[in-house]
Amino acid sequence: MEDWRRIDIDALDPENTMTLEELTPEVPPVSSQEVSSKINNIRTLISKGSHGDAILLAVDEPPYGADEQSKELYLNTVIDIFSATKQTDIASIVKSLSLEQQNALLKYLYKGMASKKGQQQGGILLAWYEKTVEVTGLGPVVRYLTDRRTV
Amino acid sequence: MSKVFQFGHLPVHSHCFSQDRKTLAITKENTVEVYDVSTPSAKLLATLKDHDKTVTAVDISIHGRIVTCSQDRNAIVWEPLSDGSYKPTLVLLRINRSATSVKWAPNGYKFAVGSGARVIAVCYFEQENDWWISKHIKKPIRSTILSIEWHPNSVLLAAGSTDGHARVFSGYVKGIDTKPEPTLWGEKLPFNTLCGDFVSSNGGWIHDVAFSPAGDVLAFVSHDSTVTVVYPGGANQPPRSALSVSTSYLPFTSCIFANESTVIAAGHSCHPVVFQGDETNWVLSHAIDDPEKNKQAEDSETSALNMFRQMDLKGTVVGKNASNLKTIHQNTITQLRPYSESNGSLTKFSSSGIDGRIVIFSA
């Protein structure tokens, strides 16, 4: 006899499942051209040495709606800013960001730690993380955990 | 000054004072304990024992009836008898997942139960059958309801769910309710009408919802550490404004209105926080029982009991207060409730916590 007690009845109920799309707040789509032009702008700022402005540009309206490949390229650029910035400047840069931008910054720090490139620069990311959370408190960390709009 | 009750060290998921504030009901594992708190030391009056899984919520109506709901999928109404005991009546909820929250309507004639079965059960007493029966609000709920709150008119109810939606429904029951006056939420309100649907700004779980004293404003707290306040725009209209305040605290699990322009929220940060604002802007005003300001008081407090307790727990006497939080609650606050008010504004409110404490704060 079939072991009916082990049947997952929820799987048989079509109204029961919620897809990831339904749970994600709507984000406007971003094309890969837009992402790469933004990356170029950020790179120009890095080469000029104005890292604060580069961070500001990077975490202002991050490309939530872009495809995975563009997001990857964008992340690598953000990690480049992280490693180019002097550690003593971090606190003042973070303070100059708005709440929404701080949330995005935390997302890039976490995403960076999960990526190959970020792991090679672990020390830098950890220093950024420490100094950021010192300024912002735990709010952005919680929002990183709950927000389904990913960077 | 805050008044603190310590009822053991088991978590209190929910608490409720009676209308006259003389009795207090708290959840404790599978039971609910009822205390007489009119004297300085709380006295246990009764233990309500019929649930066989964790009791998730308790509420007392204006008539003194207690309703409890539990993870065993049941709700029970406890009628107080003249000898001080309580007569239980099981309520047919017809749900296949745990019940998560329960609230009496302000008029005391019906209550609503939120559940993991993606329904809200609105329950009322049917005279002919001598039985509490339930009607389900199903659509468009597709996830667990974590919190329920009634509008002051006892018809509308708000529910917060784990998919990040806070919704306002009509819980109008024919024969029990009189036709409600039109409000900003809608004019015609047959049962199950969806009067408002709001999403948390970052898509986090909605832990708690609250109506303002007049009922024309809705506030909710979600797992992204934000408090959102919504001003409805009228029937079938988009809201006039929906304002969200992000904080640097850990997420809030409960919120209440102190008056039309003040919200108090508390949760995993273990102390209440006050928000103030109006239709154009809401801001964080201040924290109550702020750990930053409590440093001095806590450090100077020493006791022999504490010293031996630390030796017992940790085998050391150094840093005897190091493991104590610098707040009254030593763990997450699970629920806030209004306690007393004057001139339409809350003067005191109570809180329960996972540390087993009930605290009455001055607002």
Side-chain angles (χ1 to χ4, degrees), chain B residues 33-72:
Chain B
E33 293 180 347
V34 183
Y35 288 91
D36 177 1
V37 287
S38 54
T39 51
S41 61
K43 197 176 102 214
L44 183 65
L45 291 175
T47 305
L48 314 179
K49 282 188 180 166
D50 279 10
H51 286 292
D52 48 54
K53 285 209 168 65
T54 305
V55 178
T56 48
V58 59
D59 199 18
I60 304 181
S61 79
I62 49 165
H63 309 115
R65 291 193 191 98
I66 300 175
V67 63
T68 58
C69 74
S70 152
Q71 289 172 0
D72 65 8

Side-chain angles (χ1 to χ4, degrees), chain A residues 9-10 13-18 22-23 25 99-100 103 136-140 142-143 146-149, chain B residues 96-97 118 139 142-143 162-163 165 200-205 223-226 246-251:
Chain A
I9 54 162
D10 285 334
D13 183 357
E15 285 195 359
N16 192 21
T17 45
M18 289 194 85
E22 285 177 296
L23 289 168
L99 269 179
E100 200 54 43
N103 293 345
T136 62
L138 292 170
V142 179
R143 284 187 277 281
T146 48
D147 202 339
R148 291 181 201 272
R149 294 171 301 176
Chain B
N96 59 5
R97 290 287 187 280
R118 314 186 303 282
K139 293 227 157 94
R142 295 185 67 192
S143 64
T162 51
D163 57 1
H165 286 260
S200 66
S201 51
N202 295 302
W205 291 21
H223 201 77
D224 51 8
S225 297
T226 61
S246 298
T247 68
S248 56
Y249 295 106
L250 290 173

